[in-house]
Amino acid sequence: MAQAPRSSIDLFTPDSITNPYPLYKELRDLGPVVWLTSNQVWAIPRYEEVKHVLKNWDTFVSSRGVAMDAAVNAATSGPKANSLTTDRPLHDEIRRITSAPLLPGALKEIKPLIEDTARRTVDDLCERETFDGMTELAQVLPLTIVSDLVGLPIYGRESMLRWAAATFNAMGPMNERGKGAVAEIKELHEFCLKEAIPGKLRPGSWADRIYKVVGDNKTLAERCPAMMREYIGPSLDTTIFATGHILRLLGENPTQWQLLRKDPALIPAAIDEALRLESPVRTFTRCVQKDVELSGILLPADSRVLVMFSSGNRDERKWDQPDEFIVSRRPTDHLAFGHGIHTCAGMHLARLEISSLLMAMVERVETIEVGKPEIFLNNTLGGYASLPMRFSRN
């Protein structure tokens, strides 16, 4: 059996987060499995191996946590686990409850509201000299419509982005960002236990529905606060960052924007291509349940693998011109939403929000100008804090 290559690359420094793709290529070139000496974890940088790990959920388990830090994994496992940190059969039972409002059939009810808000937002921005693509466009639908649908008390709604960022910071190493997230995560947990409860949640909201569906099921009732967290982070940050990425990519690639304007049927493919090229979630971990061989490398039981979604999505072994943004590519098998039983439950909502914005833009915007984005430094998420933009109307 082969010896795994080693690397001293630290994927979680500010420079690495700001410009990760040369480092990802270096790791892919080293091999399918690389031991990261700085983080003491097995990196999985290539597409096929990432997909294999995600597919084989019973060998590379989530029920022992998906973070890099042991204490964080202990705090999000057991009774505090949601679908992200459980395996079958419990995973499927939780997912059945939390994903119901996010399925295509359920989203039909809110589609007109999302599309109308998207049109009004783009109309307003077309009249502006410049605007921030993140706070004034990418955040609009998640922070208005989606946060209202979740139905938290007002303090929770105001804190959702902050808590989401902290949650994803804690998924990485206990560097300065990881340590700084601990207090905010404790605040989130307390909020879910004491404030995000029946009587304080908006009646009929997604969060309120969790308690109604669980009812008298004592086994699941203790998990309601953990299930609540599934609506707080993934429903916001990932969609916001994915929207920011496609806005920048279309602004920097005007020929691709014109292709989209001429053929709006390409919008779903353009969304997939942006997700492939700039995955909002860069990495999660899995725990190796038993000794296993992966592409000729022995991974011992109880070790942890770093599943590199962003790197796999730019693997030269999978994609032609992997660093190019091509709206007609149709990369439906990208890994930005994950793969297997843990495929993102909110992907239909994310597609609806982004496609609604793009359709409103296609109908109204002739050219898109973007400036240099400010990188949002987070251990797990990849996105922008701000993105200077300008629209010129048709």
Side-chain angles (χ1 to χ4, degrees):
M1 204 167 293
Q3 184 79 18
R6 299 163 67 88
S7 173
S8 61
I9 287 175
D10 183 350
L11 295 172
F12 303 94
T13 68
D15 286 344
S16 297
I17 293 172
T18 299
N19 186 27
Y21 296 111
L23 302 178
Y24 294 166
K25 186 177 188 311
E26 184 176 336
L27 292 175
R28 290 195 302 269
D29 289 346
L30 281 173
V33 180
V34 180
W35 177 252
L36 297 183
T37 58
S38 57
N39 303 120
Q40 298 291 291
V41 68
W42 300 100
I44 313 296
R46 295 181 183 174
Y47 178 90
E48 289 299 335
E49 285 73 21
V50 168
K51 194 170 184 178
H52 177 87
V53 168
L54 297 175
K55 180 180 179 180
N56 290 275
W57 59 268
D58 51 348
T59 298
F60 302 94
V61 300
S62 300
S63 54
R64 294 168 68 177
V66 297
M68 294 179 69
D69 181 72
V72 172
N73 285 326
T76 54
S77 301
K80 296 181 179 179
N82 53 31
S83 68
L84 184 66
T85 53
T86 50
D87 300 314
R88 282 179 168 164
L90 179 58
H91 165 274
D92 293 355
E93 194 169 6
I94 294 173
R95 177 65 75 92
R96 176 181 58 82
I97 296 169
T98 57
S99 67
L102 303 172
L103 296 175
L107 293 174
K108 287 181 180 178
E109 293 184 17
I110 63 171
K111 183 178 178 181
L113 177 60
I114 287 177
E115 291 177 338
D116 181 63
T117 305
R119 286 191 291 268
R120 287 188 286 106
T121 301
V122 173
D123 275 336
D124 176 64
L125 295 176
C126 283
E127 303 304 318
R128 305 272 296 277
E129 183 68 21
T130 60
F131 60 91
D132 181 0
M134 300 308 297
T135 60
E136 297 178 274
L137 184 54
Q139 290 184 8
V140 170
L141 295 176
L143 288 187
T144 54
I145 296 174
V146 176
S147 66
D148 183 60
L149 291 169
V150 173
L152 298 180
I154 187 65
Y155 180 72
R157 289 184 59 174
E158 293 172 348
S159 303
M160 286 174 78
L161 278 182
R162 177 170 58 86
W163 286 337
T167 299
F168 284 108
N169 265 325
M171 295 295 180
M174 279 297 106
N175 53 17
E176 183 179 344
R177 284 180 298 280
K179 293 175 182 176
V182 172
E184 292 186 279
I185 291 174
K186 288 181 179 178
E187 180 190 349
L188 166 60
H189 286 192
E190 285 295 304
F191 176 85
C192 289
L193 284 169
K194 298 177 181 178
E195 299 296 325
I197 56 177
K200 295 186 177 183
L201 298 169
R202 185 174 65 77
S205 65
W206 294 352
D208 186 56
R209 180 187 172 280
I210 289 176
Y211 281 95
K212 284 184 168 57
V213 173
V214 168
D216 296 329
N217 186 323
K218 293 182 179 179
T219 302
L220 289 175
E222 66 177 353
R223 297 185 182 276
C224 285
M227 285 190 250
M228 202 78 56
R229 299 199 308 270
E230 298 193 28
Y231 293 143
I232 291 176
S235 64
L236 296 179
D237 278 41
T238 50
T239 302
I240 290 168
F241 288 148
T243 304
H245 288 311
I246 197 166
L247 292 173
R248 178 188 65 81
L249 289 167
L250 289 170
E252 291 181 352
N253 295 272
T255 58
Q256 299 300 304
W257 172 237
Q258 295 309 318
L259 285 174
L260 214 58
R261 291 181 67 218
K262 291 176 183 176
D263 186 5
L266 286 173
I267 286 177
I271 294 172
D272 279 325
E273 176 69 343
L275 287 164
R276 180 197 69 80
L277 200 62
E278 299 281 1
S279 305
V281 177
R282 292 194 302 267
T283 61
F284 274 145
T285 74
R286 297 288 190 269
C287 188
V288 182
Q289 185 75 348
K290 58 186 178 183
D291 287 358
V292 66
E293 180 183 335
L294 180 62
S295 296
I297 305 296
L298 176 64
L299 300 176
D302 302 325
S303 61
R304 197 157 283 275
V305 296
L306 187 69
V307 185
M308 300 179 63
F309 307 99
S310 292
S311 177
N313 274 340
R314 292 206 183 197
D315 190 352
E316 305 84 350
R317 296 152 194 82
K318 168 67 177 175
W319 315 103
D320 293 328
Q321 298 178 283
D323 298 324
E324 298 298 315
F325 178 61
I326 305 170
V327 297
S328 58
R329 189 193 298 267
R330 303 185 189 276
T332 55
D333 52 350
H334 67 78
L335 302 167
F337 286 133
H339 179 73
I341 68 170
H342 289 284
T343 298
C344 176
M347 65 179 182
H348 303 296
L349 175 60
R351 289 187 188 280
L352 174 58
E353 293 178 77
I354 300 171
S355 62
S356 297
L357 287 175
L358 291 180
M359 182 57 72
M361 289 166 56
V362 161
E363 294 169 351
R364 292 160 174 78
V365 177
E366 182 174 355
T367 61
I368 303 169
E369 297 177 47
V370 294
K372 184 178 180 180
E374 177 189 350
I375 301 297
F376 183 85
L377 293 177
N378 188 279
N379 282 337
T380 301
L381 296 171
Y384 314 130
S386 64
L387 177 65
M389 293 190 67
R390 183 200 310 268
F391 285 161
S392 64
R393 186 182 282 275
N394 283 348

mmCIF file with all atom_site columns, all heavy atoms in Angstrom, residues 249-267:
data_model
loop_
_atom_site.group_PDB
_atom_site.id
_atom_site.type_symbol
_atom_site.label_atom_id
_atom_site.label_alt_id
_atom_site.label_comp_id
_atom_site.label_asym_id
_atom_site.label_entity_id
_atom_site.label_seq_id
_atom_site.pdbx_PDB_ins_code
_atom_site.Cartn_x
_atom_site.Cartn_y
_atom_site.Cartn_z
_atom_site.occupancy
_atom_site.B_iso_or_equiv
_atom_site.pdbx_formal_charge
_atom_site.auth_seq_id
_atom_site.auth_comp_id
_atom_site.auth_asym_id
_atom_site.auth_atom_id
_atom_site.pdbx_PDB_model_num
ATOM 1   N N   . LEU A 1 249 ? -18.743 36.795 -11.277 1.00 0.00 ? 249 LEU A N   1
ATOM 2   C CA  . LEU A 1 249 ? -18.336 36.059 -12.473 1.00 0.00 ? 249 LEU A CA  1
ATOM 3   C C   . LEU A 1 249 ? -19.003 36.620 -13.728 1.00 0.00 ? 249 LEU A C   1
ATOM 4   O O   . LEU A 1 249 ? -18.368 36.741 -14.779 1.00 0.00 ? 249 LEU A O   1
ATOM 5   C CB  . LEU A 1 249 ? -18.681 34.574 -12.307 1.00 0.00 ? 249 LEU A CB  1
ATOM 6   C CG  . LEU A 1 249 ? -17.811 33.817 -11.297 1.00 0.00 ? 249 LEU A CG  1
ATOM 7   C CD1 . LEU A 1 249 ? -18.424 32.461 -10.959 1.00 0.00 ? 249 LEU A CD1 1
ATOM 8   C CD2 . LEU A 1 249 ? -16.387 33.639 -11.835 1.00 0.00 ? 249 LEU A CD2 1
ATOM 9   N N   . LEU A 1 250 ? -20.263 36.989 -13.631 1.00 0.00 ? 250 LEU A N   1
ATOM 10  C CA  . LEU A 1 250 ? -20.944 37.566 -14.785 1.00 0.00 ? 250 LEU A CA  1
ATOM 11  C C   . LEU A 1 250 ? -20.406 38.956 -15.105 1.00 0.00 ? 250 LEU A C   1
ATOM 12  O O   . LEU A 1 250 ? -20.301 39.337 -16.274 1.00 0.00 ? 250 LEU A O   1
ATOM 13  C CB  . LEU A 1 250 ? -22.452 37.621 -14.535 1.00 0.00 ? 250 LEU A CB  1
ATOM 14  C CG  . LEU A 1 250 ? -23.164 36.265 -14.535 1.00 0.00 ? 250 LEU A CG  1
ATOM 15  C CD1 . LEU A 1 250 ? -24.596 36.407 -14.037 1.00 0.00 ? 250 LEU A CD1 1
ATOM 16  C CD2 . LEU A 1 250 ? -23.147 35.638 -15.929 1.00 0.00 ? 250 LEU A CD2 1
ATOM 17  N N   . GLY A 1 251 ? -20.053 39.717 -14.056 1.00 0.00 ? 251 GLY A N   1
ATOM 18  C CA  . GLY A 1 251 ? -19.477 41.038 -14.289 1.00 0.00 ? 251 GLY A CA  1
ATOM 19  C C   . GLY A 1 251 ? -18.099 40.973 -14.922 1.00 0.00 ? 251 GLY A C   1
ATOM 20  O O   . GLY A 1 251 ? -17.753 41.800 -15.773 1.00 0.00 ? 251 GLY A O   1
ATOM 21  N N   . GLU A 1 252 ? -17.311 39.983 -14.525 1.00 0.00 ? 252 GLU A N   1
ATOM 22  C CA  . GLU A 1 252 ? -15.950 39.846 -15.053 1.00 0.00 ? 252 GLU A CA  1
ATOM 23  C C   . GLU A 1 252 ? -15.912 39.113 -16.387 1.00 0.00 ? 252 GLU A C   1
ATOM 24  O O   . GLU A 1 252 ? -14.872 39.095 -17.049 1.00 0.00 ? 252 GLU A O   1
ATOM 25  C CB  . GLU A 1 252 ? -15.081 39.103 -14.036 1.00 0.00 ? 252 GLU A CB  1
ATOM 26  C CG  . GLU A 1 252 ? -14.808 39.914 -12.768 1.00 0.00 ? 252 GLU A CG  1
ATOM 27  C CD  . GLU A 1 252 ? -13.923 39.171 -11.791 1.00 0.00 ? 252 GLU A CD  1
ATOM 28  O OE1 . GLU A 1 252 ? -13.641 37.971 -12.028 1.00 0.00 ? 252 GLU A OE1 1
ATOM 29  O OE2 . GLU A 1 252 ? -13.506 39.780 -10.797 1.00 0.00 ? 252 GLU A OE2 1
ATOM 30  N N   . ASN A 1 253 ? -17.016 38.502 -16.774 1.00 0.00 ? 253 ASN A N   1
ATOM 31  C CA  . ASN A 1 253 ? -17.081 37.755 -18.039 1.00 0.00 ? 253 ASN A CA  1
ATOM 32  C C   . ASN A 1 253 ? -18.279 38.250 -18.861 1.00 0.00 ? 253 ASN A C   1
ATOM 33  O O   . ASN A 1 253 ? -19.303 37.570 -18.978 1.00 0.00 ? 253 ASN A O   1
ATOM 34  C CB  . ASN A 1 253 ? -17.221 36.257 -17.755 1.00 0.00 ? 253 ASN A CB  1
ATOM 35  C CG  . ASN A 1 253 ? -16.008 35.673 -17.049 1.00 0.00 ? 253 ASN A CG  1
ATOM 36  O OD1 . ASN A 1 253 ? -15.053 35.237 -17.677 1.00 0.00 ? 253 ASN A OD1 1
ATOM 37  N ND2 . ASN A 1 253 ? -16.067 35.659 -15.725 1.00 0.00 ? 253 ASN A ND2 1
ATOM 38  N N   . PRO A 1 254 ? -18.163 39.451 -19.441 1.00 0.00 ? 254 PRO A N   1
ATOM 39  C CA  . PRO A 1 254 ? -19.311 40.067 -20.137 1.00 0.00 ? 254 PRO A CA  1
ATOM 40  C C   . PRO A 1 254 ? -19.841 39.239 -21.299 1.00 0.00 ? 254 PRO A C   1
ATOM 41  O O   . PRO A 1 254 ? -21.042 39.290 -21.588 1.00 0.00 ? 254 PRO A O   1
ATOM 42  C CB  . PRO A 1 254 ? -18.765 41.415 -20.611 1.00 0.00 ? 254 PRO A CB  1
ATOM 43  C CG  . PRO A 1 254 ? -17.275 41.298 -20.535 1.00 0.00 ? 254 PRO A CG  1
ATOM 44  C CD  . PRO A 1 254 ? -16.982 40.327 -19.437 1.00 0.00 ? 254 PRO A CD  1
ATOM 45  N N   . THR A 1 255 ? -18.982 38.470 -21.962 1.00 0.00 ? 255 THR A N   1
ATOM 46  C CA  . THR A 1 255 ? -19.492 37.643 -23.069 1.00 0.00 ? 255 THR A CA  1
ATOM 47  C C   . THR A 1 255 ? -20.434 36.560 -22.538 1.00 0.00 ? 255 THR A C   1
ATOM 48  O O   . THR A 1 255 ? -21.418 36.208 -23.197 1.00 0.00 ? 255 THR A O   1
ATOM 49  C CB  . THR A 1 255 ? -18.342 36.982 -23.851 1.00 0.00 ? 255 THR A CB  1
ATOM 50  O OG1 . THR A 1 255 ? -17.549 36.186 -22.950 1.00 0.00 ? 255 THR A OG1 1
ATOM 51  C CG2 . THR A 1 255 ? -17.460 38.034 -24.502 1.00 0.00 ? 255 THR A CG2 1
ATOM 52  N N   . GLN A 1 256 ? -20.138 36.043 -21.348 1.00 0.00 ? 256 GLN A N   1
ATOM 53  C CA  . GLN A 1 256 ? -21.008 35.037 -20.749 1.00 0.00 ? 256 GLN A CA  1
ATOM 54  C C   . GLN A 1 256 ? -22.342 35.657 -20.318 1.00 0.00 ? 256 GLN A C   1
ATOM 55  O O   . GLN A 1 256 ? -23.392 35.031 -20.431 1.00 0.00 ? 256 GLN A O   1
ATOM 56  C CB  . GLN A 1 256 ? -20.312 34.373 -19.557 1.00 0.00 ? 256 GLN A CB  1
ATOM 57  C CG  . GLN A 1 256 ? -19.028 33.635 -19.909 1.00 0.00 ? 256 GLN A CG  1
ATOM 58  C CD  . GLN A 1 256 ? -19.253 32.520 -20.908 1.00 0.00 ? 256 GLN A CD  1
ATOM 59  O OE1 . GLN A 1 256 ? -20.063 31.626 -20.694 1.00 0.00 ? 256 GLN A OE1 1
ATOM 60  N NE2 . GLN A 1 256 ? -18.541 32.582 -22.033 1.00 0.00 ? 256 GLN A NE2 1
ATOM 61  N N   . TRP A 1 257 ? -22.292 36.900 -19.833 1.00 0.00 ? 257 TRP A N   1
ATOM 62  C CA  . TRP A 1 257 ? -23.522 37.593 -19.477 1.00 0.00 ? 257 TRP A CA  1
ATOM 63  C C   . TRP A 1 257 ? -24.399 37.816 -20.711 1.00 0.00 ? 257 TRP A C   1
ATOM 64  O O   . TRP A 1 257 ? -25.612 37.632 -20.663 1.00 0.00 ? 257 TRP A O   1
ATOM 65  C CB  . TRP A 1 257 ? -23.209 38.913 -18.791 1.00 0.00 ? 257 TRP A CB  1
ATOM 66  C CG  . TRP A 1 257 ? -24.404 39.798 -18.556 1.00 0.00 ? 257 TRP A CG  1
ATOM 67  C CD1 . TRP A 1 257 ? -24.570 41.090 -18.993 1.00 0.00 ? 257 TRP A CD1 1
ATOM 68  C CD2 . TRP A 1 257 ? -25.601 39.469 -17.842 1.00 0.00 ? 257 TRP A CD2 1
ATOM 69  N NE1 . TRP A 1 257 ? -25.800 41.582 -18.588 1.00 0.00 ? 257 TRP A NE1 1
ATOM 70  C CE2 . TRP A 1 257 ? -26.453 40.602 -17.884 1.00 0.00 ? 257 TRP A CE2 1
ATOM 71  C CE3 . TRP A 1 257 ? -26.037 38.326 -17.175 1.00 0.00 ? 257 TRP A CE3 1
ATOM 72  C CZ2 . TRP A 1 257 ? -27.708 40.622 -17.288 1.00 0.00 ? 257 TRP A CZ2 1
ATOM 73  C CZ3 . TRP A 1 257 ? -27.289 38.336 -16.575 1.00 0.00 ? 257 TRP A CZ3 1
ATOM 74  C CH2 . TRP A 1 257 ? -28.115 39.472 -16.632 1.00 0.00 ? 257 TRP A CH2 1
ATOM 75  N N   . GLN A 1 258 ? -23.783 38.173 -21.829 1.00 0.00 ? 258 GLN A N   1
ATOM 76  C CA  . GLN A 1 258 ? -24.559 38.387 -23.048 1.00 0.00 ? 258 GLN A CA  1
ATOM 77  C C   . GLN A 1 258 ? -25.162 37.074 -23.550 1.00 0.00 ? 258 GLN A C   1
ATOM 78  O O   . GLN A 1 258 ? -26.292 37.065 -24.076 1.00 0.00 ? 258 GLN A O   1
ATOM 79  C CB  . GLN A 1 258 ? -23.690 39.043 -24.123 1.00 0.00 ? 258 GLN A CB  1
ATOM 80  C CG  . GLN A 1 258 ? -23.215 40.446 -23.765 1.00 0.00 ? 258 GLN A CG  1
ATOM 81  C CD  . GLN A 1 258 ? -24.344 41.373 -23.320 1.00 0.00 ? 258 GLN A CD  1
ATOM 82  O OE1 . GLN A 1 258 ? -25.420 41.377 -23.906 1.00 0.00 ? 258 GLN A OE1 1
ATOM 83  N NE2 . GLN A 1 258 ? -24.104 42.149 -22.266 1.00 0.00 ? 258 GLN A NE2 1
ATOM 84  N N   . LEU A 1 259 ? -24.445 35.973 -23.378 1.00 0.00 ? 259 LEU A N   1
ATOM 85  C CA  . LEU A 1 259 ? -25.017 34.669 -23.736 1.00 0.00 ? 259 LEU A CA  1
ATOM 86  C C   . LEU A 1 259 ? -26.259 34.382 -22.899 1.00 0.00 ? 259 LEU A C   1
ATOM 87  O O   . LEU A 1 259 ? -27.262 33.864 -23.398 1.00 0.00 ? 259 LEU A O   1
ATOM 88  C CB  . LEU A 1 259 ? -23.980 33.560 -23.521 1.00 0.00 ? 259 LEU A CB  1
ATOM 89  C CG  . LEU A 1 259 ? -22.847 33.448 -24.532 1.00 0.00 ? 259 LEU A CG  1
ATOM 90  C CD1 . LEU A 1 259 ? -21.842 32.392 -24.089 1.00 0.00 ? 259 LEU A CD1 1
ATOM 91  C CD2 . LEU A 1 259 ? -23.409 33.099 -25.913 1.00 0.00 ? 259 LEU A CD2 1
ATOM 92  N N   . LEU A 1 260 ? -26.189 34.729 -21.634 1.00 0.00 ? 260 LEU A N   1
ATOM 93  C CA  . LEU A 1 260 ? -27.308 34.492 -20.730 1.00 0.00 ? 260 LEU A CA  1
ATOM 94  C C   . LEU A 1 260 ? -28.497 35.383 -21.097 1.00 0.00 ? 260 LEU A C   1
ATOM 95  O O   . LEU A 1 260 ? -29.655 34.957 -21.046 1.00 0.00 ? 260 LEU A O   1
ATOM 96  C CB  . LEU A 1 260 ? -26.866 34.767 -19.287 1.00 0.00 ? 260 LEU A CB  1
ATOM 97  C CG  . LEU A 1 260 ? -27.486 33.912 -18.184 1.00 0.00 ? 260 LEU A CG  1
ATOM 98  C CD1 . LEU A 1 260 ? -27.226 32.442 -18.431 1.00 0.00 ? 260 LEU A CD1 1
ATOM 99  C CD2 . LEU A 1 260 ? -26.928 34.323 -16.830 1.00 0.00 ? 260 LEU A CD2 1
ATOM 100 N N   . ARG A 1 261 ? -28.205 36.624 -21.481 1.00 0.00 ? 261 ARG A N   1
ATOM 101 C CA  . ARG A 1 261 ? -29.282 37.536 -21.885 1.00 0.00 ? 261 ARG A CA  1
ATOM 102 C C   . ARG A 1 261 ? -29.976 37.037 -23.151 1.00 0.00 ? 261 ARG A C   1
ATOM 103 O O   . ARG A 1 261 ? -31.206 37.130 -23.282 1.00 0.00 ? 261 ARG A O   1
ATOM 104 C CB  . ARG A 1 261 ? -28.730 38.939 -22.140 1.00 0.00 ? 261 ARG A CB  1
ATOM 105 C CG  . ARG A 1 261 ? -28.252 39.660 -20.885 1.00 0.00 ? 261 ARG A CG  1
ATOM 106 C CD  . ARG A 1 261 ? -27.754 41.052 -21.235 1.00 0.00 ? 261 ARG A CD  1
ATOM 107 N NE  . ARG A 1 261 ? -28.863 41.892 -21.702 1.00 0.00 ? 261 ARG A NE  1
ATOM 108 C CZ  . ARG A 1 261 ? -28.757 42.785 -22.682 1.00 0.00 ? 261 ARG A CZ  1
ATOM 109 N NH1 . ARG A 1 261 ? -27.614 42.949 -23.336 1.00 0.00 ? 261 ARG A NH1 1
ATOM 110 N NH2 . ARG A 1 261 ? -29.797 43.517 -23.015 1.00 0.00 ? 261 ARG A NH2 1
ATOM 111 N N   . LYS A 1 262 ? -29.198 36.486 -24.064 1.00 0.00 ? 262 LYS A N   1
ATOM 112 C CA  . LYS A 1 262 ? -29.780 35.997 -25.317 1.00 0.00 ? 262 LYS A CA  1
ATOM 113 C C   . LYS A 1 262 ? -30.546 34.697 -25.102 1.00 0.00 ? 262 LYS A C   1
ATOM 114 O O   . LYS A 1 262 ? -31.507 34.409 -25.830 1.00 0.00 ? 262 LYS A O   1
ATOM 115 C CB  . LYS A 1 262 ? -28.676 35.777 -26.356 1.00 0.00 ? 262 LYS A CB  1
ATOM 116 C CG  . LYS A 1 262 ? -28.033 37.064 -26.846 1.00 0.00 ? 262 LYS A CG  1
ATOM 117 C CD  . LYS A 1 262 ? -26.880 36.765 -27.801 1.00 0.00 ? 262 LYS A CD  1
ATOM 118 C CE  . LYS A 1 262 ? -26.186 38.055 -28.239 1.00 0.00 ? 262 LYS A CE  1
ATOM 119 N NZ  . LYS A 1 262 ? -24.996 37.780 -29.088 1.00 0.00 ? 262 LYS A NZ  1
ATOM 120 N N   . ASP A 1 263 ? -30.118 33.912 -24.136 1.00 0.00 ? 263 ASP A N   1
ATOM 121 C CA  . ASP A 1 263 ? -30.752 32.612 -23.899 1.00 0.00 ? 263 ASP A CA  1
ATOM 122 C C   . ASP A 1 263 ? -30.936 32.387 -22.400 1.00 0.00 ? 263 ASP A C   1
ATOM 123 O O   . ASP A 1 263 ? -30.140 31.706 -21.760 1.00 0.00 ? 263 ASP A O   1
ATOM 124 C CB  . ASP A 1 263 ? -29.894 31.492 -24.509 1.00 0.00 ? 263 ASP A CB  1
ATOM 125 C CG  . ASP A 1 263 ? -30.571 30.132 -24.414 1.00 0.00 ? 263 ASP A CG  1
ATOM 126 O OD1 . ASP A 1 263 ? -31.739 30.075 -23.971 1.00 0.00 ? 263 ASP A OD1 1
ATOM 127 O OD2 . ASP A 1 263 ? -29.937 29.120 -24.774 1.00 0.00 ? 263 ASP A OD2 1
ATOM 128 N N   . PRO A 1 264 ? -32.005 32.947 -21.806 1.00 0.00 ? 264 PRO A N   1
ATOM 129 C CA  . PRO A 1 264 ? -32.237 32.780 -20.366 1.00 0.00 ? 264 PRO A CA  1
ATOM 130 C C   . PRO A 1 264 ? -32.423 31.328 -19.935 1.00 0.00 ? 264 PRO A C   1
ATOM 131 O O   . PRO A 1 264 ? -32.318 31.025 -18.744 1.00 0.00 ? 264 PRO A O   1
ATOM 132 C CB  . PRO A 1 264 ? -33.520 33.595 -20.128 1.00 0.00 ? 264 PRO A CB  1
ATOM 133 C CG  . PRO A 1 264 ? -33.570 34.586 -21.242 1.00 0.00 ? 264 PRO A CG  1
ATOM 134 C CD  . PRO A 1 264 ? -32.981 33.868 -22.427 1.00 0.00 ? 264 PRO A CD  1
ATOM 135 N N   . ALA A 1 265 ? -32.665 30.433 -20.883 1.00 0.00 ? 265 ALA A N   1
ATOM 136 C CA  . ALA A 1 265 ? -32.769 29.016 -20.535 1.00 0.00 ? 265 ALA A CA  1
ATOM 137 C C   . ALA A 1 265 ? -31.456 28.474 -19.984 1.00 0.00 ? 265 ALA A C   1
ATOM 138 O O   . ALA A 1 265 ? -31.426 27.397 -19.369 1.00 0.00 ? 265 ALA A O   1
ATOM 139 C CB  . ALA A 1 265 ? -33.199 28.202 -21.754 1.00 0.00 ? 265 ALA A CB  1
ATOM 140 N N   . LEU A 1 266 ? -30.371 29.240 -20.188 1.00 0.00 ? 266 LEU A N   1
ATOM 141 C CA  . LEU A 1 266 ? -29.064 28.830 -19.660 1.00 0.00 ? 266 LEU A CA  1
ATOM 142 C C   . LEU A 1 266 ? -28.888 29.185 -18.177 1.00 0.00 ? 266 LEU A C   1
ATOM 143 O O   . LEU A 1 266 ? -27.871 28.834 -17.588 1.00 0.00 ? 266 LEU A O   1
ATOM 144 C CB  . LEU A 1 266 ? -27.940 29.495 -20.455 1.00 0.00 ? 266 LEU A CB  1
ATOM 145 C CG  . LEU A 1 266 ? -27.672 28.957 -21.862 1.00 0.00 ? 266 LEU A CG  1
ATOM 146 C CD1 . LEU A 1 266 ? -26.651 29.835 -22.573 1.00 0.00 ? 266 LEU A CD1 1
ATOM 147 C CD2 . LEU A 1 266 ? -27.169 27.515 -21.788 1.00 0.00 ? 266 LEU A CD2 1
ATOM 148 N N   . ILE A 1 267 ? -29.856 29.861 -17.580 1.00 0.00 ? 267 ILE A N   1
ATOM 149 C CA  . ILE A 1 267 ? -29.697 30.292 -16.184 1.00 0.00 ? 267 ILE A CA  1
ATOM 150 C C   . ILE A 1 267 ? -29.405 29.128 -15.239 1.00 0.00 ? 267 ILE A C   1
ATOM 151 O O   . ILE A 1 267 ? -28.479 29.217 -14.418 1.00 0.00 ? 267 ILE A O   1
ATOM 152 C CB  . ILE A 1 267 ? -30.929 31.108 -15.729 1.00 0.00 ? 267 ILE A CB  1
ATOM 153 C CG1 . ILE A 1 267 ? -30.877 32.503 -16.362 1.00 0.00 ? 267 ILE A CG1 1
ATOM 154 C CG2 . ILE A 1 267 ? -30.991 31.217 -14.205 1.00 0.00 ? 267 ILE A CG2 1
ATOM 155 C CD1 . ILE A 1 267 ? -32.080 33.373 -16.054 1.00 0.00 ? 267 ILE A CD1 1
#
